[in-house]
Amino acid sequence: MPRVLVLNGPNLGRLGSREPDVYGAQDLSALRVLLAEQAGAAVEIDLRQTDNEAELIHWLYEAVDTTTPVILNPAAFTHYSYALRDAVALVTKAGVALVEVHISNPHAREEFRHTSVISAVATGVIAGFGFDSYLLALRVVAPGA
Ligand code: DQA
């Protein structure tokens, strides 16, 4: 069965209780259920979260090695991690789709969030639609879902 990696960066493990006014009241297990519902039997959703930059980079190597499309919320790494950017470039230059997603709209927030070092090497970006950002990304990377 085709698989999609849904990778989440630092502090996203605290969704549900973290700034619910910005990120909503649902946690990552609720997101996993929403994605699995949309994917149905067609696609396996492999949702992961880490606070560790190296772990996130190694998951991107896995995406390259297994040609698995990626939905990536890099969280705060978005704004400064050139190491993550280089790993994202490995994915997209290998011809594997990678959509950068954000729950909030970083451009409507603090100035430091207006810069993404990831976007230029991502296949595309979806931001500002809450968990629907991930569901929209799934439509792109798994058109059958
Ligand atoms: C975020 C936006 C980032 O600026 C922030 O650091 C996050 C979450 C989002 O999904 O809206 O942790 O990526």
Side-chain angles (χ1 to χ4, degrees):
M1 193 198 300
R3 187 167 62 110
V4 174
L5 276 167
V6 184
L7 304 181
N8 294 277
N11 303 307
L12 293 172
R14 289 285 164 147
L15 286 178
S17 59
R18 175 190 178 202
E19 299 183 73
D21 49 317
V22 177
Y23 299 113
Q26 291 186 296
D27 63 11
L28 276 185
S29 45
L31 175 61
R32 186 179 281 111
V33 169
L34 289 171
L35 286 164
E37 273 172 10
Q38 183 174 309
V43 178
E44 181 195 340
I45 300 296
D46 187 348
L47 186 149
R48 307 176 191 177
Q49 188 274 329
T50 183
D51 299 325
N52 183 323
E53 190 178 28
E55 189 167 32
L56 202 48
I57 288 167
H58 291 154
W59 289 343
L60 293 172
Y61 295 167
E62 181 189 329
V64 173
D65 294 341
T66 59
T67 57
T68 304
V70 180
I71 298 169
L72 172 66
N73 187 340
F77 291 148
T78 306
H79 311 302
Y80 67 89
S81 175
Y82 296 116
L84 190 65
R85 175 198 164 103
D86 286 349
V88 167
L90 278 176
V91 175
T92 53
K93 286 186 193 298
V96 178
L98 182 146
V99 183
E100 175 187 344
V101 299
H102 299 281
I103 298 164
S104 68
N105 176 358
H107 297 283
R109 302 179 61 195
E110 302 96 316
E111 185 99 29
F112 76 90
R113 296 186 203 276
H114 298 183
T115 298
S116 169
V117 301
I118 306 295
S119 298
V121 290
T123 310
V125 184
I126 302 173
F129 298 102
F131 281 179
D132 282 347
S133 294
Y134 293 78
L135 296 170
L136 290 164
L138 182 61
R139 290 178 62 170
V140 177
V141 297

